[in-house]
Amino acid sequence: MNAETDLMLWSSLPVPAILLDADERIADMNSAAEGFMNNSSKWLMGQPIWDRLAVDAPLEESLARARANGTPLFVNDVDVGTGRRAPLVCNLQMAPVQGRPGWTILLISPRELAGRMTQSHSVKSAAKSAIGMAEMLAHEIKNPLAGITGAAQLLSMSLSKDDLELTDLIVQETRRIVKLLEQVEQFGNLSPPERRAVNVHDVLDRARRSALLGFGAHMKIVEDYDPSLPMAHGDPDQLLQVVLNLLKNASEAAATRGGTIRLHSFYEHSFRLRRADGSGQSLPLQIEIIDNGPGLPDHIKSEIFEPFVSGKENGTGLGLALVSKIVSDHDGWISVESVPGRTVFRISLPMAPREKQEID
């Protein structure tokens, strides 16, 4: 292969790759690594790698031994940070460079990308199955429920005060079931997004104002936006529905005295969606809804986007499933990280095509 081919292969690697010299200084990096480091190769060239990359694992002895023996080194499931972003769980691969004694190539494979993709696919499949079954039953169930409600109301007219509690309970519970069925129907009848160039900050501002006037009046909502963020390719009304749902969940999880929600937007060049057919989709636009509430229950964290899974006592389990469906219909993906005191819902979206960067 010639130098031009080598450069093309280097640039095409889908994972961050960094070339280190014998003094463990950055000699070169590909475009994916620039995105991961959130800095240009020109700026980072010649700098010590461990001054720019923080790995939560003791690597010195293992790396020295691998370099001395000329063998690769594999480190799995470690937190890797850059100082410019939150640490990610990654797999690291380090291998000697043939013909250059002491030189090493470092490959960084963020595990969250593959995990989120698997999650997105499984959630979508589960949602389709649940919706198909629920829609088939919804109409037939709503008819007898209306009859039960009517009969209970008629009975209540001739009952004593003590017995009225029972008929009131029947009416309340049947109405709750009807509301659930209506949400299922809304889930299944959601129209495809009418996608165009969208300023995500306009969407976030609309959601913030709406929340502060209603369900989030007891919350403090902080804006932390990247003003240079390009236009997203999406349906503004459906994206508003997504953000409102996430804000509502955060507000309801907070104590009555309230809490803080941070709306954060930023650009991540290295985030890509790879489909089963091998095609890829760049998803550089990131939106995070971060709250300081109690966090998600441990037993539902991995299933929170699946239909009928809820952490609320009387929740339907369809709100986050609907959010996931809308994001998936936008060719994006959504994930969550949650510990007590910090829950982060992260939405990744594609940019609008260049010819549509002006808002319609």
Side-chain angles (χ1 to χ4, degrees), residues 6 43 51-52 91 93 121 129 132 175 217 240 276 294 296 309:
D6 291 344
W43 173 259
D51 286 353
R52 292 295 173 180
N91 295 335
Q93 303 173 53
H121 178 74
S129 300
R175 285 176 176 169
L240 176 63
L296 296 172
V309 174

Side-chain angles (χ1 to χ4, degrees), residues 24-67:
E24 296 187 347
R25 294 179 179 273
I26 299 171
D28 197 5
M29 62 173 54
N30 66 352
S31 57
E34 288 181 311
F36 184 86
M37 302 289 284
N38 199 18
N39 219 324
S40 68
S41 58
K42 183 178 180 180
W43 173 259
L44 294 172
M45 204 75 71
Q47 298 193 30
I49 181 61
W50 308 121
D51 286 353
R52 292 295 173 180
L53 202 66
V55 179
D56 188 20
L59 294 179
E60 292 81 1
E61 291 185 10
S62 299
L63 186 55
R65 186 165 53 250
R67 182 181 284 112

Side-chain angles (χ1 to χ4, degrees), residues 185-265:
E185 290 176 333
Q186 177 196 12
F187 194 116
N189 294 332
L190 189 68
S191 58
E194 297 181 6
R195 298 171 71 179
R196 57 184 177 86
V198 179
N199 185 331
V200 297
H201 298 146
D202 289 344
V203 173
L204 294 174
D205 285 340
R206 287 172 60 193
R208 180 185 60 84
R209 290 196 299 268
S210 179
L212 290 175
L213 290 173
F215 57 79
H218 62 301
M219 304 293 290
K220 177 183 179 183
I221 303 180
V222 179
E223 299 168 318
D224 181 11
Y225 299 160
D226 176 356
S228 65
L229 206 65
M231 298 294 175
H233 195 210
D235 183 318
D237 291 333
Q238 290 193 13
L239 292 178
L240 176 63
Q241 186 176 1
V242 165
V243 179
L244 280 172
N245 194 300
L246 295 176
L247 289 177
K248 189 170 188 292
N249 282 353
S251 299
E252 291 176 347
T256 53
R257 66 179 182 276
T260 300
I261 300 173
R262 183 161 68 98
L263 300 177
H264 182 210
S265 70

